[in-house]
Amino acid sequence: MLDSFYKDESHKEVRQELFNHEAEEIAKSFSDDKVGVTSTQLRRLFDEVKRFERLLDGTEKTWNEQKPYIKMINSKVRYTVARAKRKDDLKTYYENLQKFISDGLKLVDTEQDYHIFTSLFEAVYGFYYERRPDKNN
């Protein structure tokens, strides 16, 4: 799904299509308008990502303290996916969610990277919300 946030190896310019076309395609992989990742589960994970963003203060010390816990988000996603995989019709959607978060977190080395990942997740969540499978609830 994700191989880089940036246009090139200088890590100075974020790819323009990341927050629009790519975010929309990622969001589509989470549901098909009828079944998929629930908005409650996606919101829970998004809130966790945002929680760490609020803790970061631009200092290297805080980043180094929080980075291991940020990487731990992977285990929370795996727990969510393992529970959902019991239902065959949901398996693919939750695996796509896990891949998105796992791939995104692999790209996070700096606080700047994390802010980009958080912004990407926000864009994905926005696109997902209009097509979420539980929109009538």
Side-chain angles (χ1 to χ4, degrees):
M1 243 184 225
L2 285 173
D3 56 1
S4 177
F5 298 136
Y6 302 98
K7 218 174 189 182
D8 58 36
E9 292 182 26
S10 70
H11 290 219
K12 291 182 181 176
E13 191 175 343
V14 177
R15 293 185 297 112
Q16 290 182 7
E17 66 277 5
L18 188 65
F19 300 127
N20 192 21
H21 176 70
E22 286 186 43
E24 185 172 12
E25 291 302 309
I26 292 166
K28 285 179 183 178
S29 77
F30 296 165
S31 74
D32 68 3
D33 290 331
K34 293 183 177 109
V35 297
V37 176
T38 66
S39 58
T40 303
Q41 291 295 349
L42 191 61
R43 185 69 198 193
R44 186 179 61 78
L45 293 168
F46 177 68
D47 287 347
E48 182 72 0
V49 168
K50 290 294 282 184
R51 181 177 76 84
F52 283 107
E53 186 177 51
R54 288 187 296 274
L55 292 173
L56 299 174
D57 60 7
T59 66
E60 189 174 339
K61 180 182 185 294
T62 302
W63 171 247
N64 289 333
E65 289 171 356
Q66 295 304 318
K67 188 176 178 181
Y69 299 102
I70 287 169
K71 297 294 185 167
M72 195 175 103
I73 294 170
N74 277 314
S75 69
K76 294 177 182 190
V77 173
R78 286 191 179 186
Y79 173 77
T80 299
V81 170
R83 290 189 61 209
K85 278 186 175 180
R86 290 184 241 161
K87 299 177 184 174
D88 283 340
D89 59 336
L90 299 177
K91 184 177 180 178
T92 300
Y93 303 114
Y94 278 87
E95 286 174 345
N96 291 341
L97 171 63
Q98 180 179 332
K99 182 159 178 47
F100 161 65
I101 293 175
S102 175
D103 287 356
L105 290 176
K106 283 179 190 171
L107 297 174
V108 171
D109 288 322
T110 66
E111 186 172 337
Q112 175 185 333
D113 296 339
Y114 190 71
H115 290 301
I116 293 168
F117 173 67
T118 303
S119 296
L120 175 60
F121 202 155
E122 186 172 356
V124 167
Y125 189 80
F127 285 117
Y128 162 86
Y129 197 77
E130 79 174 321
R131 61 180 288 125
R132 69 197 186 281
D134 53 351
K135 63 184 155 209
N136 296 322
N137 294 338

